Amino acid sequence: MQNPARAADRDFILASVHELLVETGEDWDRCTHRLRVLGRADTQGLFRAGHHCRPGDPYGPLLHAWTVLQNTYPCQDTATLHGLEEACLRSADLLPAHPAPWVTLLGLRRRLRRPVLEVFRVWEEAVRRDPWHREAYRQMLRYLSPDECGSKSAALDFVESARARMPANAPAAGLYLAVQTDLYHQALAQQGVHAILARQLWETHSARRALEHGVALWTDPDFLVHVAGPADLNMLAYALVEARRAKQAAEVFRLLDGTVSPWPWRFHGDPVDKFRYWQDLLL
């Protein structure tokens, strides 16, 4: 029998989390950001329990899904993922204008390696509700990468198509620099001559353009106002470090003022240690 005090604590936490998500209103990007952060933090299975004990809460399945997607979790079998797919579709019925159920479903179908047309249909539902939703574009980019179900050309074509239409300060504005960073990491991971020549990727016309665009616009403190703006600035600082543009990287580190995001620093080990090393060296 469940301890009544523990059940009350769980219900209080779940109600508080629900309010935290509801209060984002129509800031869809912020809501999805909170779902991801909360899901990553739930290592005790609280949201799995909440998904079952609060069946009318449309955010419950989304929290559970992000927990499964981001943690080393005991229930990541195909049946669990299929069940969460159905739950996300029920959340979409309850939140018809919200992209978060579709972005969450996109993450699940990416994990299941579903066919590209099926995945694109889910992505289209998300961006129909929020045209420049950061997580929707990042999930699609990862799916189209050569590490998953796509190729280098598929990822670049997707990014080029989006960049031609995207406002410079959209939440997904970091997409072009993200694909350049992914290509750099893929080259490093191959070792041998590919790893030795990897840094030359930052000297290509497309990479230089992405870096110069970031330095010119993103270093204005009022430019990147979306919730993951600091994560995009971390990506820019990292890319400038790897491209050996120390003076420009120092400018971004000053703007970040010690705010660290795990990616892309974690590619080289502990992200905080890597960030602090370059911050201390450059500043």
Side-chain angles (χ1 to χ4, degrees):
M1 185 175 179
Q2 188 175 25
N3 184 316
R6 291 188 64 182
D9 289 344
R10 179 202 64 200
D11 291 344
F12 174 76
I13 293 170
L14 292 173
S16 299
V17 167
H18 177 86
E19 289 302 315
L20 190 66
L21 296 170
V22 169
E23 75 178 17
T24 59
E26 294 186 4
D27 188 343
W28 310 129
D29 192 65
R30 186 175 299 275
C31 184
T32 306
H33 177 78
R34 289 184 179 181
L35 285 167
R36 291 181 68 249
V37 172
L38 289 163
R40 189 184 305 123
D42 181 28
T43 58
Q44 304 300 315
L46 174 67
F47 297 140
R48 178 179 55 173
H51 171 39
H52 295 295
C53 73
R54 293 168 61 94
D57 182 358
Y59 296 104
L62 309 183
L63 287 162
H64 184 199
W66 281 109
T67 302
V68 169
L69 289 169
Q70 296 188 110
N71 293 316
T72 304
Y73 205 67
C75 295
Q76 294 196 38
D77 56 279
T78 302
T80 297
L81 297 174
H82 283 308
L84 286 170
E85 283 186 292
E86 295 300 319
C88 285
L89 289 170
R90 291 195 294 273
S91 291
D93 289 337
L94 295 170
L95 299 169
H98 210 312
W102 297 101
V103 176
T104 308
L105 182 60
L106 180 61
L108 293 168
R109 294 198 171 170
R110 174 183 156 227
R111 173 69 63 85
L112 288 164
R113 302 294 192 265
R114 291 292 184 81
V116 65
L117 289 178
E118 188 176 333
V119 175
F120 256 114
R121 288 191 193 104
V122 176
W123 176 78
E124 287 169 348
E125 290 288 349
V127 298
R128 184 164 64 84
R129 290 162 172 80
D130 187 10
W132 305 114
H133 195 287
R134 184 180 189 273
E135 187 62 26
Y137 279 87
R138 290 299 178 87
Q139 289 285 339
M140 201 67 220
L141 177 60
R142 295 184 193 109
Y143 174 82
L144 292 171
S145 74
D147 292 336
E148 294 195 12
C149 297
S151 63
K152 176 181 175 180
S153 61
L156 288 171
D157 287 347
F158 174 70
V159 171
E160 285 289 354
S161 174
R163 195 170 65 91
R165 300 172 287 110
M166 189 184 303
N169 63 342
L175 194 67
Y176 199 73
L177 188 54
V179 75
Q180 297 296 330
T181 305
D182 283 342
L183 292 173
Y184 176 62
H185 286 169
Q186 289 159 21
L188 289 177
Q190 292 181 55
Q191 302 181 345
V193 66
H194 294 285
I196 294 170
L197 299 176
R199 189 158 283 113
Q200 293 184 9
L201 291 173
W202 296 113
E203 297 303 320
T204 64
H205 174 70
S206 56
R208 288 202 311 271
R209 182 172 55 172
L211 291 173
E212 288 160 6
H213 174 87
V215 170
L217 297 178
W218 296 6
T219 50
D220 179 346
D222 298 319
F223 191 78
L224 294 182
V225 296
H226 59 279
V227 65
D232 288 338
L233 284 172
N234 268 263
M235 178 172 60
L236 178 61
Y238 171 87
L240 290 168
V241 163
E242 296 301 312
R244 297 297 186 257
R245 297 186 176 210
K247 183 177 180 180
Q248 293 172 326
E251 184 180 358
V252 182
F253 276 111
R254 273 191 287 271
L255 189 60
L256 282 166
D257 193 26
T259 302
V260 188
S261 66
W263 190 87
W265 303 103
R266 67 185 176 204
F267 184 84
H268 302 280
D270 182 270
V272 175
D273 289 345
K274 181 74 172 176
F275 179 96
R276 286 179 175 169
Y277 170 80
W278 284 107
Q279 176 184 250
D280 294 345
L281 184 67
L282 296 177
L283 298 184

